[in-house]
Amino acid sequence: MNDRTPPPDGTERARPTLSSLGASLDDQLRRTALQERRVVTLSELGRELTRPMDEDALVSVGLTTLMGFAGTPHAALWTADEREPGVFRLSTAHGVSTSELGAACGGLARLAGMVVAGTTPAVATTDELEGSLDDLTLAHLRRCGLDLVGTLMSAEEVLGFIGLGQPLARRGDDPFDRLVFDAACGMLGVGLANARLIARLHGRSQELANANHELAQLDAMKSEFLQTVNHELRTPLAVIIGASSCLRDGAVDAEGHARFVEMIHTQAAQLNQMIQTMLDFSAATSLQIETNREPVHLGHLLDVYQRSRAPRVERGGRHIAHVASPEPVVALADPRRIAEVLERLVDNATRFTPVGSRVVLGESFEVHEGGRWAVVEVTDDGPGIPAERLERIFRPFEQVDGSSTRTIGGLGLGLAAARSLTEAMGGTLEARSEPGQGSRFRMMLPAA
Amino acid sequence: MSDQLTIESAMSEAPRAVVFRLTGSLDGRGGQQLMSACAPHKQAGLSMILNCERVNFISSSGIGVMLALSEDFRDRGLRLRIASPSAEVRMAIGLLNLDEFLSLDESEQMSMERLAA
């Protein structure tokens, strides 16, 4: 039928004017352009998702893309908490009350279950969600002007939801809009799953790298320990073997005899102490330390210890003193273990201070972190410890002079063992020092 | 489309506002960059002019950012105007009928005058 043929009912159809044809063409062109824009939006989103982004950037770009697509300034995106399954949290929102939407998280877990089960569509208006969402959550969404909800899914797992407000400019209902929104939500869901997977992989890689680094450090420490043990154990053994050979062969006179016997005894005692330190450290690291807790008068213990230790300290050209507290300080601890810790601290102080130095023992009470503590302090006026090495000295095999050419011997286990022993008594051991200002070791034990 | 967004900022004393002159692509990444750059000025209570004369591409995400910023400025009692929109920006905004919501001006000078009014 052409324009010249009259309609069968005999009526004359109104002939379209040029301007109405123009308007119709404009409308058609506009609808085509809008449809093209929808497809372009999906293409843009796909391109954005190929960029390296963390989860925060991804949800932010995803939400603004869908806002631009829908032409709305009101939108929100919730994501599933990775640590708490079934819990959704508001990730980002624009143009809406975040407190209102934060409160809307409660009903989303149920909705997620229904979407996975297929009883609720992945994209739905708030009206369509009546029955799937509780009234309170629906009320929160409506008060924020969000009336279209899309599900972010990957591998049948709901990773989040997007809520969109009404478009600012009405452009007519088009079922294609919902399809595009559904597709965009699907792309975002996969993008979100990828971002989380990549973040987990990075985390694991970092953990592995850290573990590798620690293993390398342990390996280096093991090598250094073997070198140290070789040196520290062989030196006294060489003296013992040499001196005993001289005695056996009768190569020393009567005067030298006593001196050689004393030499053998001293070196053997030193060896014994080293072995004891190693055993203590071994027991400490395998949590085998046994302690008896009883009230210990620290003033009395330090006094006895100072008097028994003084001769050896004096022989090395140093001095040891006890400055007693005016009030009795009683700890609930193991007196034998306290003496062992003291022995290591004083041994450390005398070995790392120059001849003529002074070591002072003291005790006091202290209130710390709500608890009452009995404190033993061992202070010296030696060269001090640089700040960067202060905590490391408690690590096994570490000494202030960590170089392979260090001049002061020892296994580097004494302070590590001392800390383990203190901790086994429920206490702490710390060091305070400044180079040139001496060092102060503080053993804090539970007060009786 | 791969031109990264650059933002040149200038302060205006009368009216008291910040002018952002944008060049390049206002896509997802550029949009996030723009939102971050706007945040301190928004907090400081300054109105803003976005000069989009040299924006050669705007994605849906870029439109979404403009909508979010306009709404946020409005909620704070501030104003955000878009000056000298390029043909690409004008077409994208027009297609979605957002001209009335996003305040478009022919020139930066006109935006200044509207802010001062």
Side-chain angles (χ1 to χ4, degrees), chain A residues 1 9 35 60 85 153 161 164 217 254 260 279 288 301 313 341 350 375 386-387 408 428:
Chain A
M1 187 162 54
D9 58 2
Q35 288 202 341
S60 192
M153 282 180 81
F161 291 99
L164 288 181
Q217 275 188 324
F260 273 52
L279 290 174
Q288 289 172 344
L301 186 146
V313 175
V341 174
T350 51
V375 183
I408 300 166
T428 59

Coordinates of all heavy atoms in Angstrom, one line a residue, chain A residues 1 9 35 60 85 153 161 164 217 254 260 279 288 301 313 341 350 375 386-387 408 428:
Chain A
M1 N 0.8 -1.2 0.0 CA 0.0 0.0 0.0 C 0.9 1.2 0.0 O 1.7 1.4 0.9 CB -0.9 0.0 1.3 CG -1.9 1.0 1.3 SD -3.2 0.6 2.5 CE -2.3 0.3 4.0
D9 N -11.2 1.4 5.1 CA -12.4 1.8 5.7 C -12.8 3.2 5.2 O -13.8 3.7 5.6 CB -12.2 2.0 7.3 CG -11.1 2.9 7.6 OD1 -10.5 3.5 6.7 OD2 -10.8 3.0 8.8
Q35 N 21.0 3.1 23.0 CA 21.3 1.7 23.0 C 22.8 1.5 22.8 O 23.4 0.6 23.4 CB 20.5 1.0 21.9 CG 19.0 0.9 22.3 CD 18.3 -0.2 21.6 OE1 18.7 -0.7 20.6 NE2 17.1 -0.6 22.1
S60 N 34.9 1.1 43.4 CA 34.6 2.6 43.2 C 34.4 2.8 41.7 O 33.4 3.5 41.3 CB 35.8 3.3 43.7 OG 35.6 4.7 43.7
P85 N 31.8 -15.1 56.7 CA 30.9 -15.6 55.7 C 29.4 -15.1 56.1 O 29.0 -15.2 57.2 CB 31.0 -17.1 55.7 CG 32.4 -17.3 56.3 CD 32.6 -16.2 57.3
M153 N 28.0 -11.6 41.5 CA 28.2 -13.0 41.8 C 29.4 -13.6 41.0 O 29.7 -13.1 39.9 CB 27.0 -13.9 41.3 CG 25.9 -13.8 42.3 SD 24.5 -14.8 41.6 CE 25.0 -16.4 42.1
F161 N 26.4 -6.5 46.5 CA 25.1 -6.0 45.8 C 25.3 -4.6 45.5 O 26.1 -3.9 46.1 CB 24.0 -6.1 46.8 CG 23.5 -7.5 47.2 CD1 23.9 -8.1 48.3 CD2 22.6 -8.2 46.3 CE1 23.5 -9.4 48.6 CE2 22.2 -9.4 46.6 CZ 22.7 -10.1 47.8
L164 N 20.9 1.0 42.9 CA 20.9 2.3 42.1 C 19.6 3.1 42.3 O 18.5 2.5 42.5 CB 21.0 1.9 40.6 CG 22.3 1.4 40.1 CD1 22.1 1.1 38.6 CD2 23.4 2.3 40.3
Q217 N 68.0 -16.5 57.2 CA 68.6 -15.9 58.4 C 69.0 -17.1 59.3 O 70.1 -17.1 59.9 CB 67.7 -15.0 59.0 CG 67.7 -13.6 58.5 CD 66.9 -12.6 59.3 OE1 65.9 -13.0 59.8 NE2 67.4 -11.4 59.5
A254 N 107.5 -28.0 90.3 CA 106.5 -28.0 91.3 C 105.7 -26.7 91.4 O 104.5 -26.8 91.6 CB 107.2 -28.3 92.7
F260 N 99.3 -25.0 86.5 CA 98.7 -25.7 85.4 C 97.4 -26.4 85.8 O 96.4 -26.5 85.0 CB 99.7 -26.8 84.9 CG 100.6 -26.2 83.8 CD1 101.3 -25.0 84.1 CD2 100.8 -26.8 82.6 CE1 102.2 -24.5 83.1 CE2 101.6 -26.2 81.6 CZ 102.3 -25.1 81.9
L279 N 72.4 -26.2 77.1 CA 71.4 -27.0 77.6 C 70.1 -26.2 78.0 O 69.0 -26.5 77.7 CB 71.8 -27.9 78.7 CG 72.8 -29.0 78.3 CD1 73.3 -29.7 79.6 CD2 72.2 -30.0 77.4
Q288 N 60.8 -26.6 78.0 CA 61.0 -27.7 79.0 C 61.5 -27.1 80.3 O 61.9 -27.8 81.2 CB 62.0 -28.7 78.5 CG 61.5 -29.5 77.3 CD 62.5 -30.4 76.7 OE1 63.7 -30.2 76.9 NE2 62.1 -31.4 76.0
L301 N 68.6 -12.3 98.3 CA 69.1 -13.2 97.2 C 70.3 -12.4 96.5 O 71.4 -13.0 96.3 CB 68.0 -13.5 96.2 CG 68.4 -14.5 95.1 CD1 67.2 -15.4 94.7 CD2 68.9 -13.8 93.9
V313 N 84.6 -11.6 89.9 CA 84.5 -10.3 89.2 C 85.7 -9.5 89.4 O 86.3 -8.9 88.5 CB 83.2 -9.6 89.6 CG1 83.2 -8.2 89.0 CG2 81.9 -10.3 89.2
V341 N 69.6 -16.4 85.9 CA 69.5 -15.2 85.1 C 70.5 -14.2 85.5 O 71.2 -13.6 84.6 CB 68.1 -14.6 85.2 CG1 68.0 -13.3 84.4 CG2 67.0 -15.6 84.6
T350 N 80.3 -8.2 82.7 CA 81.7 -8.2 83.0 C 82.5 -8.5 81.7 O 83.6 -8.0 81.6 CB 82.1 -9.3 84.0 OG1 81.5 -10.5 83.7 CG2 81.6 -8.9 85.4
V375 N 61.2 -5.9 90.6 CA 62.2 -5.7 89.6 C 63.6 -5.9 90.1 O 64.0 -5.4 91.1 CB 62.1 -4.3 89.0 CG1 63.0 -4.0 87.8 CG2 60.6 -4.0 88.6
P386 N 74.2 0.1 71.1 CA 73.5 1.0 70.1 C 72.0 0.6 70.0 O 71.7 -0.6 70.2 CB 74.2 0.7 68.8 CG 75.5 0.0 69.1 CD 75.3 -0.7 70.4
A387 N 71.2 1.6 69.9 CA 69.7 1.4 69.9 C 69.3 0.3 68.9 O 68.4 -0.5 69.2 CB 69.0 2.7 69.6
I408 N 85.4 -10.5 71.7 CA 84.9 -11.1 73.0 C 84.2 -12.4 72.7 O 83.3 -12.4 71.8 CB 83.9 -10.1 73.7 CG1 84.7 -8.8 74.0 CG2 83.4 -10.7 75.0 CD1 83.9 -7.6 74.4
T428 N 59.4 -10.6 82.6 CA 60.0 -10.1 81.3 C 61.4 -9.6 81.6 O 61.7 -9.2 82.7 CB 59.2 -8.9 80.8 OG1 59.2 -7.8 81.8 CG2 57.7 -9.2 80.4

